[in-house]
Amino acid sequence: EVQLVESGGGVVRPGGSLRLSCAASGFTFDDYGMSWVRQAPGKGLEWVSGINWNGGSTGYADSVKGRFTISRDNAKNSLYLQMNSLRAEDTAFYYCARGWTSSGYKSYWDYWGQGNLVTVSS
Amino acid sequence: EIVLTQSPGTLSLSPGERATLSCRASQSVSYNYLAWYQQRPGQAPRFLIYGASSRATGIPDRFSGSGSGADFTLTISRLDPEDFALYYCQQYADSPPTFGQGTKVEIK
């Protein structure tokens, strides 16, 4: 059974940093590209960042470019999102999602984690 | 980027009725790379349809997708009580991948 379990969320002050993790199981992790998708409370879905199977290709939404960094450790079956210079508008549930191919983030996502809430507030 | 506009914003129907949800793109979606998701309150999105019309594994056949170019439709042939939820379309033809704003299917 495919499972994606996010961790690392919480409350952080504006300008602060946080690192999200996603532990994957039930499939061959390095066969798939992965993404982070977020959802502000009561709002719609927004793609944040994606990475190909070996980390050699990454992409970011304009809203987070230069502040967030996506990475993966295939030996640990884990995906990460380092979030710096956080703003109030980054407050959202962050979902880890599996892409349909190995190649990157222009993808649909067939499996999603349960979501992890990040709250940016003073 | 490709902007997706979903309509209507809310659809009020009774169990057993047919639901028709629309997703219109600001430009043609290459290869019909259009997906649909369902989201129930407090849950993660659930993958339903890819390639505009192919059902994901385990999705009931009352869900069907159609369309091409810039106009796409998700049809639920007979609404089951568990189908009352939010639905999002998403394009993956162009970067960045983008979502529509969602259609809520509520019980009338």
Side-chain angles (χ1 to χ4, degrees), chain A residues 37 39 43-47 60-62 95 100 105-115, chain B residues 33 35 37 39 43-47 50-51 88 90-97 99-101:
Chain A
V37 178
Q39 185 172 37
K43 302 297 184 184
L45 298 166
E46 178 190 21
W47 174 79
Y60 299 91
D62 285 346
Y95 294 99
W100 71 298
Y105 51 86
K106 282 199 301 184
S107 174
Y108 58 78
W109 301 287
D110 56 359
Y111 288 93
W112 297 61
Q114 82 286 358
Chain B
Y33 277 179
Y37 302 86
Q39 189 176 33
Q43 294 187 16
R46 175 194 184 198
F47 174 53
Y50 64 98
Y88 293 95
Q90 178 239 330
Q91 66 80 21
Y92 52 102
D94 197 20
S95 182
F99 292 90
Q101 82 281 16

Side-chain angles (χ1 to χ4, degrees), chain A residues 29 32-36 47 49-60 69-74 78-80 97 99 101-106 109:
Chain A
F29 185 63
Y32 293 89
M34 300 291 294
S35 279
W36 291 96
W47 174 79
S49 182
I51 190 168
N52 76 330
W53 70 279
N54 68 355
S57 176
T58 59
Y60 299 91
T69 303
I70 191 171
S71 62
R72 65 190 294 161
D73 185 337
N74 288 344
S78 293
L79 176 72
Y80 306 102
T101 70
S102 63
S103 60
Y105 51 86
K106 282 199 301 184
W109 301 287

Side-chain angles (χ1 to χ4, degrees), chain A residues 76-110:
Chain A
K76 295 183 178 179
N77 290 343
S78 293
L79 176 72
Y80 306 102
L81 186 68
Q82 177 66 44
M83 303 185 293
N84 298 332
S85 303
L86 282 160
R87 307 167 179 166
E89 54 265 36
D90 295 319
T91 294
F93 289 92
Y94 284 74
Y95 294 99
C96 164
R98 189 183 84 167
W100 71 298
T101 70
S102 63
S103 60
Y105 51 86
K106 282 199 301 184
S107 174
Y108 58 78
W109 301 287
D110 56 359

Side-chain angles (χ1 to χ4, degrees), chain B residues 2-69:
Chain B
I2 296 178
V3 176
L4 299 178
T5 302
Q6 293 187 240
S7 62
T10 301
L11 203 49
S12 298
L13 295 167
S14 300
E17 289 195 297
R18 181 185 189 89
T20 303
L21 289 67
S22 174
C23 176
R24 179 162 290 177
S26 58
Q27 61 192 77
S28 182
V29 177
S30 301
Y31 309 108
N32 294 332
Y33 277 179
L34 193 287
W36 290 92
Y37 302 86
Q38 175 194 70
Q39 189 176 33
R40 297 181 179 126
Q43 294 187 16
R46 175 194 184 198
F47 174 53
L48 297 176
I49 300 282
Y50 64 98
S53 60
S54 298
R55 267 188 307 277
T57 303
I59 300 304
D61 60 8
R62 64 179 181 272
F63 290 91
S64 63
S66 62
S68 63

